Amino acid sequence: MRSPVTGIATLLGLLLVVIVGYMSLFTVAQTEQTIVLQFGKPVDVVTAPGLHFKAPWNSVINIDKRILDLENPSQEAIASDQKRLVVDAFARYRIKDALRFYQSIGSIQAANIQLTTLLNAALRRVLGEVTFINVVRDDREKLMQRIRDQLDHEADGYGIQVVDVRIRRADLPEQNSQAVYQRMKTEREREAAEFRAQGGQKAQEIRSKADREATVIEADARSLAEQTRGVGDAERNRLFAEAYGQDADFFAFYRSMAAYETGLRANDTRFLLRPDSDFFRFFGNPSGKTATTTPAKP
């Protein structure tokens, strides 16, 4: 039979093998790259994902190999036309050389601090060579490419590749924006007043022309009405004259009846005329003839 000491030694040996085996294995994730260190010095860089072996006394450091974000706080820059700009930009980068990155910077936090400094310098350098209009409207895409190229060139020494740089916002400072806004507002108000004055002048011209044309049309219409009325009166007189010529007695009777209708109105039949006036000749005699008195024979 085995002694208890032999069993304990066997267990300790197995435990030691497990510990050594565990310390000799490490895994690399799909999103990471690993640096193997031997007594603090890099001896290997592993980029392939999976299970890997190392010496038990070696240590590993995992470094992200995905595209990382760099959010840059708003910075002021001066364009070539001496206009101050507030620029809000961000960058995207990845670690392409893990060993150089570890030896030069060492961590993502330190890389963000260093890249922020380099990005601000590149922004001021590039934007200082162009005008305000080029930044905010004309050449923003080209300027962002230039900034990316410069930042990528400077970050290459740290094992970093800059993938993209974007200017999210480039505008005047608040006090300058208010001054520009007030100037634009004043200019628009001046133009609006000018347009209103021109419109008022044009409206007055149109009204004057319309009044003049209305006066001419009204005068022409009145002239035509007078001419038509004259023609009608002439026709009426001709008809009256023709009727009078055909039957003088009936015409005289008709004219008297019309005079009676006009003169003898309701509630007003007062006349200052002599009873034997010619106006009342049809009252005394239906034929309208006045009675003649024959002188007495001597």
Side-chain angles (χ1 to χ4, degrees):
M1 295 182 62
R2 294 180 180 179
S3 64
V5 176
T6 304
I8 294 173
T10 303
L11 290 176
L12 291 176
L14 290 175
L15 181 61
L16 181 61
V17 170
V18 171
I19 293 174
V20 171
Y22 177 79
M23 295 178 62
S24 300
L25 297 175
F26 68 96
T27 58
V28 178
Q30 189 75 29
T31 60
E32 294 177 339
Q33 48 193 334
T34 301
I35 300 177
V36 180
L37 302 177
Q38 184 175 3
F39 305 116
K41 294 182 179 181
V43 294
D44 192 15
V45 177
V46 181
T47 59
L51 184 64
H52 299 271
F53 293 93
K54 65 178 181 62
W57 54 85
N58 291 347
S59 60
V60 295
I61 294 178
N62 296 321
I63 298 176
D64 203 328
K65 66 178 181 180
R66 293 173 295 181
I67 294 178
L68 305 175
D69 296 334
L70 175 65
E71 292 293 338
N72 189 43
S74 298
Q75 299 291 325
E76 283 198 1
I78 300 177
S80 62
D81 52 3
Q82 301 305 310
K83 289 187 177 179
R84 296 171 60 198
L85 294 170
V86 176
V87 182
D88 183 8
F90 65 91
R92 300 285 185 266
Y93 71 95
R94 69 181 184 86
I95 300 170
K96 66 177 182 178
D97 189 336
L99 181 58
R100 186 185 302 176
F101 174 82
Y102 174 75
Q103 291 174 337
S104 59
I105 294 184
S107 66
I108 300 295
Q109 292 77 10
N112 287 338
I113 295 173
Q114 184 64 27
L115 288 177
T116 298
T117 302
L118 296 177
L119 177 58
N120 291 334
L123 282 171
R124 292 190 178 95
R125 191 162 51 244
V126 173
L127 299 185
E129 299 174 358
V130 296
T131 64
F132 171 77
I133 297 299
N134 294 129
V135 177
V136 301
R137 188 186 65 187
D138 295 341
D139 299 325
R140 178 177 291 196
E141 192 68 29
K142 295 179 181 178
L143 295 175
M144 290 188 296
Q145 184 64 34
R146 288 178 56 189
I147 296 170
R148 191 206 71 82
D149 293 342
Q150 292 190 17
L151 182 60
D152 181 60
H153 177 72
E154 294 176 350
D156 184 68
Y158 303 107
I160 295 174
Q161 178 188 7
V162 178
V163 177
D164 192 18
V165 172
R166 291 288 165 179
I167 296 177
R168 185 183 291 114
R169 183 178 68 93
D171 204 352
L172 294 171
E174 183 62 26
Q175 59 272 22
N176 292 21
S177 298
Q178 290 297 329
V180 171
Y181 170 75
Q182 190 61 37
R183 185 167 63 251
M184 293 174 63
K185 179 181 177 182
T186 302
E187 182 64 19
R188 297 293 86 79
E189 290 176 348
R190 185 192 64 78
E191 291 180 357
E194 183 178 350
F195 288 148
R196 281 195 294 269
Q198 293 176 356
Q201 181 181 359
K202 191 67 176 178
Q204 186 61 37
E205 292 176 357
I206 294 174
R207 280 194 294 268
S208 300
K209 183 179 179 181
D211 292 342
R212 184 168 61 252
E213 291 178 353
T215 302
V216 172
I217 293 172
E218 184 179 359
D220 292 342
R222 189 176 292 109
S223 175
L224 181 60
E226 293 296 333
Q227 293 177 8
T228 305
R229 189 178 294 109
V231 172
D233 290 342
E235 183 65 17
R236 183 192 63 177
N237 294 334
R238 185 188 68 77
L239 293 175
F240 279 158
E242 183 179 349
Y244 182 78
Q246 292 179 359
D247 192 342
D249 292 338
F250 176 77
F251 186 74
F253 176 76
Y254 173 77
R255 294 294 298 272
S256 295
M257 291 300 103
Y260 293 158
E261 182 181 6
T262 303
L264 300 176
R265 296 184 180 277
N267 301 325
D268 188 10
T269 58
R270 291 174 295 177
F271 288 93
L272 296 177
L273 297 173
R274 294 175 55 187
D276 57 351
S277 171
D278 188 59
F279 181 78
F280 297 110
R281 67 182 183 276
F282 285 101
F283 280 86
N285 188 350
S287 63
K289 296 181 180 180
T290 58
T292 59
T293 58
T294 57
K297 294 183 179 180

